[in-house]
Amino acid sequence: RITILPHGSLRILNASKSDEGRYLCQGVNVFGSAEIIASVSVKEPTRIELTPKKIELTVGESIVLSCKALHDSTLDVTFYWTLNGQPIDFEKEGGHFESIKAQASSADLMIRNILLMHAGRYGCRVQTAADTVSDETELLVRGPPGPPGVVIVEEITDTTATLSWSPGADNHSPISLYNLQARSPFSLGWQTVKTVPDLISGDMESAMAVELNPWVEYEFRVVATNKIGTGDPSAPSRVIRTNEAVPKTPPANVSGRSGRRHELVIAWEPVSEEFQSGEGFGYIVAFRPNGTRGWKEKMVTSSDASKFIYRDESVPPLTPFEVKVGVYNNKGDGPFSPIVVICSAEGEPTAAPIDVKATSLSVSEILVAWKHIKESLGRPQGFEVDYWKDMQQEEAAEKVKTEGNESSILLTGLEGNTLYHLTVRAYNAAGYGPPSTAVHAATKKSPPSQAPGNIMWIQDGSHVSLGWEPVRPLANESDVMGYKVLFRQEGQSNSQVIETQKTSAVVLLPDVGVYIIEVCAVSEGGDGTASPQIRVPSFSGGKVTSAQSTLHVLSTSSSSVTLLLALMVPSTSW
């Protein structure tokens, strides 16, 4: 049990407490001797237990691994965790791992929200100053299947494609079924397609996609499912195009449209390229007068066409026709749409508006009103008003349109003191009707450019008496019809207005503060130039007597003095 080795070392097997003590090693030769002393302590061996021993979990679940150590009480222990032999880096694992040490002789490993990548051998290593021991447990993680292998398109027809693939990892839960998906330039991403068989079991590695559209490019992919869930899809197959076929989808919403007289306008929704089924796609437009036998057919070779116009001078307005629109391509003729009855064009309006009146409202506005004869052919969608100045030709007329059944319009932005000529005519999608007889209206003259002058005022408490010289308009300006006194409290934008036909007015200032007062002339052409602003304070309470009143003038003239004296004598009227 105890052996001295050739190089002088001492080996003790199956050490026990009785082997503890001080050991002396002495070396001797002809020159003398040397010795060393070694102290030996014998400790209890460390043992550990890692539980549970084998675990099977599903993706998303959590688990706690517990590692307990039985060791010599005089020794400190350190715990280390590994996964597949590599130390676990708790800071880089995205919060999935947490080391928990509740007691000195045990440690736990918390694994949260387990992923497939967390499967493997988990090890717990316990180290002391005397020895190192370790233990392992196996963690198996069940999850949705992995992506199937490469998808191969083996056979293609006009509406089917036969596919095969290799199974992917089942991730410890058998694959129960497969799902085929397809994508085309016309689909919103990947869509599940119908297959033969309807349900593709987990042990199958091929199936047929059916009810595809002819002459359309497709990609395919396969998705596997097990009890845990549905896995990631396979990589897409190569792009294939189904074979051509006779088209099966006729145009939708065949209807009539407005047109010119003697026209039959047939419209439809174009068939999407997805349903054209091959090259050389076009339309067959068939029509006949209602109640007749033979169909007239016209070919429309553009796949994007949405309208066909048939013109025949012998066709009266609003003649009913039976109409249907079919499809064709290089493979043959497809079906027709259901028969609908539409009428030939009503044509452009035939009657001119009557009772046209033009009324001048201001220097820049004329109101135009009219009536329409409802019995006329060519129902109007609106009206157009043409207007031009007296010295211009009608060809230079400006135009403005109304919509619907409106019977008047206000022309704005016109020149002042100008004679205008105006006509009105109805219009619809087929064109314009005849114009009305021209009417005439002159815009008002411009408002007076002169502002009221020599303004004087006297304040009596909250009352302000104003007077001013009359405005005399120029020859090309509108006559004065009266005056406006505008007043507002300083700091506000909205003014109060007093209208008068005299050259004087009394203003009541309702609140305390400073008021801004202006005066302007009123005419047919609008408001004239305003006078310079007057700033008047309003006093709170009490009354300012005549002796205390303050006289104000904006200019000094004989007429101003006369008005001022009248203000000073209460018994004298304005």
Side-chain angles (χ1 to χ4, degrees):
R1 195 176 69 86
I2 300 176
T3 306
I4 299 176
L5 300 178
H7 57 272
S9 295
L10 180 68
R11 182 175 67 187
I12 304 174
L13 298 177
N14 297 324
S16 63
K17 284 288 186 180
S18 62
D19 294 319
E20 289 185 333
R22 290 160 59 86
Y23 288 77
L24 173 65
C25 177
Q26 188 178 50
V28 179
N29 64 16
V30 295
F31 300 104
S33 63
E35 60 184 26
I36 58 171
I37 296 175
S39 295
V40 174
S41 297
V42 179
K43 304 296 184 180
E44 292 293 331
T46 302
R47 296 187 301 275
I48 66 170
E49 181 182 9
L50 178 58
T51 57
K53 278 299 179 186
K54 187 172 183 180
I55 318 111
E56 293 186 7
L57 295 176
T58 301
V59 167
E61 294 181 336
S62 301
I63 187 68
V64 175
L65 304 181
S66 181
C67 185
K68 295 181 180 179
L70 299 175
H71 60 93
D72 193 289
S73 59
T74 63
L75 297 176
D76 293 329
V77 294
T78 304
F79 292 85
Y80 300 93
W81 290 99
T82 61
L83 171 57
N84 295 325
Q86 299 299 317
I88 295 176
D89 189 337
F90 291 94
E91 294 182 357
K92 293 184 179 180
E93 292 295 338
H96 289 283
F97 294 99
E98 181 182 356
S99 178
I100 304 171
K101 189 173 182 181
Q103 300 176 358
S105 58
S106 67
D108 294 337
L109 175 64
M110 166 72 79
I111 312 174
R112 295 187 179 90
N113 191 21
I114 285 176
L115 305 177
L116 288 171
M117 61 184 293
H118 295 149
R121 294 176 293 105
Y122 284 83
C124 175
R125 188 175 85 250
V126 177
Q127 186 171 334
T128 68
D131 58 0
T132 298
V133 293
S134 61
D135 195 6
E136 286 187 343
T137 185
E138 186 80 16
L139 174 59
L140 185 146
V141 180
R142 295 185 301 266
V150 177
V151 178
I152 299 174
V153 183
E154 297 182 342
E155 186 178 350
I156 304 167
T157 70
D158 56 344
T159 59
T160 68
T162 302
L163 313 173
S164 64
W165 61 91
S166 58
D170 65 5
N171 291 325
H172 309 291
S173 178
I175 296 172
S176 55
L177 60 90
Y178 288 102
N179 178 264
L180 263 59
Q181 297 178 344
R183 178 173 65 182
S184 77
F186 312 104
S187 64
L188 296 175
W190 292 94
Q191 304 289 328
T192 298
V193 295
K194 291 186 177 181
T195 59
V196 174
D198 290 339
L199 294 178
I200 307 171
S201 60
D203 58 351
M204 297 181 65
E205 296 181 14
S206 67
M208 178 184 292
V210 298
E211 296 186 16
L212 305 177
N213 291 320
W215 200 239
V216 172
E217 291 184 339
Y218 286 98
E219 294 175 277
F220 299 94
R221 70 182 187 183
V222 181
V223 181
T225 300
N226 61 16
K227 290 183 179 180
I228 309 302
T230 299
D232 293 331
S234 68
S237 70
R238 64 181 176 91
V239 178
I240 61 97
R241 183 188 284 272
T242 50
N243 298 335
E244 291 182 279
V246 174
K248 296 182 179 179
T249 304
N253 296 327
V254 177
S255 61
R257 292 288 187 269
S258 298
R260 295 187 178 278
R261 196 173 306 279
H262 309 301
E263 288 182 348
L264 176 66
V265 182
I266 304 168
W268 60 87
E269 288 186 9
V271 175
S272 166
E273 184 182 349
E274 181 180 8
F275 303 106
Q276 293 178 5
S277 300
E279 293 184 316
F281 182 85
Y283 301 96
I284 304 171
V285 182
F287 53 93
R288 65 187 178 188
N290 205 2
T292 62
R293 287 184 173 274
W295 291 93
K296 287 187 178 181
E297 292 188 352
K298 299 293 182 180
M299 306 289 285
V300 179
T301 58
S302 171
S303 61
D304 298 325
S306 62
K307 183 171 67 173
F308 173 77
I309 300 176
Y310 171 70
R311 183 171 180 81
D312 187 341
E313 295 291 338
S314 66
V315 175
L318 301 178
T319 299
F321 280 80
E322 291 182 316
V323 175
K324 60 183 180 178
V325 181
V327 291
Y328 72 92
N329 63 16
N330 291 345
K331 285 290 185 178
D333 294 347
F336 279 90
S337 65
I339 296 174
V340 297
V341 176
I342 63 176
C343 292
S344 60
E346 187 176 15
E348 64 275 4
T350 57
I354 60 173
D355 292 341
V356 179
K357 293 181 174 61
T359 305
S360 177
L361 299 185
S362 71
V363 67
S364 62
E365 297 175 324
I366 293 177
L367 177 65
V368 185
W370 60 88
K371 294 180 181 178
H372 177 66
I373 301 175
K374 295 184 179 179
E375 290 74 15
S376 67
L377 292 175
R379 288 166 293 184
Q381 295 176 350
F383 296 87
E384 180 184 84
V385 177
D386 294 7
Y387 59 98
W388 63 97
K389 297 176 187 176
D390 185 43
M391 301 303 294
Q392 292 178 328
Q393 297 295 321
E394 185 175 353
E395 290 75 15
E398 296 190 54
K399 306 175 187 296
V400 62
K401 285 185 176 181
T402 69
E403 294 184 359
N405 295 322
E406 294 185 22
S407 59
S408 65
I409 189 171
L410 181 64
L411 304 180
T412 60
L414 307 177
E415 289 188 16
N417 195 24
T418 302
L419 177 64
Y420 282 89
H421 305 282
L422 309 97
T423 61
V424 183
R425 59 178 177 171
Y427 71 88
N428 59 19
Y432 290 88
S436 66
T437 303
V439 296
H440 322 285
T443 51
K444 306 293 185 183
K445 292 181 180 181
S446 300
S449 57
Q450 177 190 351
N454 293 333
I455 296 179
M456 294 154 289
W457 70 97
I458 185 169
Q459 185 174 2
D460 187 4
S462 59
H463 290 75
V464 177
S465 298
L466 295 162
W468 56 88
E469 282 188 349
V471 173
R472 293 177 175 80
L474 302 176
N476 62 344
E477 295 177 342
S478 298
D479 293 335
V480 175
M481 301 168 59
Y483 297 91
K484 285 183 181 178
V485 179
L486 301 92
F487 62 99
R488 57 182 171 81
Q489 205 163 15
E490 192 171 44
Q492 296 184 356
S493 57
N494 295 328
S495 296
Q496 300 182 55
V497 180
I498 296 175
E499 296 190 11
T500 179
Q501 294 182 341
K502 301 177 182 181
T503 56
S504 63
V506 177
V507 177
L508 174 63
L509 307 180
D511 298 317
V512 176
V514 176
Y515 281 80
I516 307 297
I517 301 177
E518 298 173 288
V519 182
C520 67
V522 178
S523 71
E524 280 191 338
D527 295 345
T529 304
S531 66
Q533 293 181 348
I534 304 166
R535 298 177 76 258
V536 179
S538 177
F539 301 102
S540 175
K543 180 179 180 182
V544 180
T545 64
S546 296
Q548 297 170 319
S549 298
T550 303
L551 290 168
H552 304 269
V553 294
L554 288 181
S555 63
T556 54
S557 67
S558 59
S559 60
S560 301
V561 174
T562 303
L563 181 57
L564 192 57
L565 291 174
L567 286 169
M568 293 293 293
V569 182
S571 61
T572 303
S573 66
W574 287 70

Coordinates of all heavy atoms in Angstrom, one line a residue, residues 53 142 185 245 247 286 305 346 402 432 477:
K53 N -31.9 13.5 -14.1 CA -30.9 12.8 -14.9 C -31.2 12.9 -16.4 O -30.2 13.0 -17.2 CB -30.8 11.3 -14.5 CG -29.9 11.1 -13.2 CD -28.5 11.7 -13.5 CE -27.6 11.5 -12.3 NZ -26.3 12.2 -12.5
R142 N -38.1 19.1 -27.6 CA -39.1 18.8 -28.7 C -39.5 20.1 -29.2 O -39.8 21.1 -28.5 CB -40.2 18.0 -28.2 CG -39.9 16.6 -27.8 CD -41.2 15.8 -27.4 NE -41.9 16.5 -26.4 CZ -41.8 16.2 -25.1 NH1 -41.0 15.3 -24.7 NH2 -42.6 16.9 -24.2
P185 N -46.7 36.3 -59.4 CA -46.7 37.8 -59.4 C -48.0 38.4 -59.0 O -48.1 39.6 -58.8 CB -46.3 38.1 -60.9 CG -45.6 36.8 -61.3 CD -46.3 35.7 -60.6
A245 N -53.6 27.5 -72.1 CA -54.9 26.9 -72.2 C -55.9 27.9 -72.8 O -55.6 29.1 -72.8 CB -55.4 26.3 -70.9
P247 N -58.8 30.5 -72.6 CA -59.2 31.2 -71.4 C -60.6 30.8 -70.9 O -61.5 30.4 -71.7 CB -59.2 32.7 -71.9 CG -59.3 32.6 -73.4 CD -58.6 31.3 -73.8
A286 N -69.8 41.2 -79.0 CA -71.0 40.8 -79.8 C -72.2 41.6 -79.3 O -72.4 41.9 -78.1 CB -71.3 39.3 -79.6
A305 N -57.7 46.5 -73.3 CA -58.9 47.3 -73.8 C -60.0 47.1 -72.8 O -60.2 46.1 -72.2 CB -59.3 46.8 -75.1
E346 N -77.2 58.8 -76.0 CA -78.2 59.8 -76.1 C -77.7 61.0 -76.9 O -78.5 61.7 -77.5 CB -78.5 60.3 -74.6 CG -79.6 61.2 -74.5 CD -79.9 61.5 -73.1 OE1 -79.1 61.2 -72.2 OE2 -81.0 62.1 -72.8
T402 N -70.1 74.4 -64.5 CA -70.8 73.9 -63.3 C -71.0 72.4 -63.5 O -70.8 71.9 -64.6 CB -72.1 74.6 -63.1 OG1 -73.0 74.2 -64.2 CG2 -72.0 76.1 -63.2
Y432 N -70.8 69.1 -76.3 CA -71.5 70.4 -75.9 C -72.7 70.6 -76.7 O -72.7 70.3 -78.0 CB -70.5 71.6 -76.0 CG -69.4 71.5 -75.0 CD1 -68.2 70.9 -75.3 CD2 -69.5 72.2 -73.8 CE1 -67.2 70.8 -74.4 CE2 -68.5 72.1 -72.9 CZ -67.3 71.5 -73.2 OH -66.3 71.4 -72.2
E477 N -65.6 106.4 -61.2 CA -65.9 105.8 -59.9 C -67.4 105.7 -59.6 O -68.1 106.6 -60.1 CB -65.1 106.4 -58.8 CG -63.6 106.3 -58.9 CD -62.8 107.1 -57.8 OE1 -63.4 107.9 -57.2 OE2 -61.6 106.8 -57.7

